Amino acid sequence: MRRLGLLATAGVIALCAPAAAHPHVFAEVSFGLQFADKGLEAIDVTWRFDEMYSQAMLPDYLKKGEKQLSAGGVQGLYNDVFRFLGDFRYYTDVAISGGPLKAVNAGGFTARAERGALVFHFMIPLDKPVASGVVELLGFDPDYFIEYTLAGPPQAHGKPYRHQCKTQRFQRETDITGPIGVAGLSCIIG
């Protein structure tokens, strides 16, 4: 009888474990390409968070009666959330001609409330301009706590520069569920 109880307990644990291995926050990611004379210089990243996460976060950073974040609210989000994301490469995979960007740094952080959604925007400067090659971009959390979905094609900014982007499915390894397919962008520059 004891053995049957242990088997039943093991079965329940096995069934419950996958339930923990799913995203709890959803964000739509969009990318912008910042071009200058020598090619692609930076990537703009925008995250639009899901309604539940937004409703949980915004009241802590909006003053009573506000519909838009004040400078203090944006600074609070930076201090409490964004500044810690550097340890996780800002959940943004950037590869240039097959090699990952050595360091993912971010600047120009802003946040806003948009139609009830919390939106983060920031820029990732590239180590050096990309005049030609393939640039791959995707939002990804290896813990799979946040699921990023691609919003669509990138917006090009700055100097007109020859490029062509397409949506591509990338294989990534999560810490919990194993391999998953993640939609991102593959852009040919030059």
Side-chain angles (χ1 to χ4, degrees):
M1 189 65 161
R2 185 166 187 249
R3 181 180 281 174
L4 185 59
L6 288 173
L7 283 172
T9 301
V12 168
I13 290 170
L15 289 173
C16 291
H22 64 81
H24 292 72
V25 176
F26 299 87
E28 186 178 74
V29 61
S30 56
F31 296 104
L33 306 176
Q34 291 286 339
F35 290 102
D37 290 331
K38 295 183 180 180
L40 181 64
E41 290 192 335
I43 309 296
D44 286 325
V45 182
T46 302
W47 296 339
R48 182 183 176 87
F49 291 100
D50 66 273
E51 183 179 353
M52 185 176 288
Y53 183 75
S54 296
Q55 288 180 0
M57 292 293 288
L58 282 171
D60 291 339
Y61 299 96
L62 287 171
K63 292 179 183 171
K64 189 172 182 163
E66 280 185 332
K67 296 203 184 289
Q68 193 49 258
L69 291 164
S70 65
V74 172
Q75 188 63 48
L77 281 163
Y78 177 86
N79 292 340
D80 297 346
V81 180
F82 190 76
R83 72 184 177 114
F84 298 107
L85 300 181
D87 293 342
F88 307 99
R89 300 175 60 85
Y90 300 94
Y91 296 122
T92 304
D93 285 1
V94 179
I96 300 171
S97 297
L101 194 61
K102 288 184 176 102
V104 176
N105 298 305
F109 173 77
T110 61
R112 65 185 183 275
E114 185 177 275
R115 295 187 305 276
L118 175 60
V119 178
F120 283 4
H121 178 85
F122 56 98
M123 184 187 70
I124 297 173
L126 302 180
D127 297 332
K128 59 183 182 178
V130 177
S132 66
V134 177
V135 176
E136 297 172 342
L137 306 167
L138 66 144
F140 179 66
D141 174 7
D143 291 328
Y144 208 41
F145 186 80
I146 304 170
E147 181 179 306
Y148 292 94
T149 56
L150 186 61
Q155 298 292 316
H157 306 284
K159 289 267 192 182
Y161 209 86
R162 189 171 155 193
H163 69 284
Q164 182 178 3
C165 296
K166 66 178 181 177
T167 301
Q168 181 175 324
R169 192 146 265 336
F170 296 91
Q171 193 75 11
R172 290 294 186 265
E173 192 73 29
T174 65
D175 296 338
I176 297 174
T177 63
I180 61 170
V182 180
L185 293 173
S186 178
C187 299
I188 299 170
I189 309 297

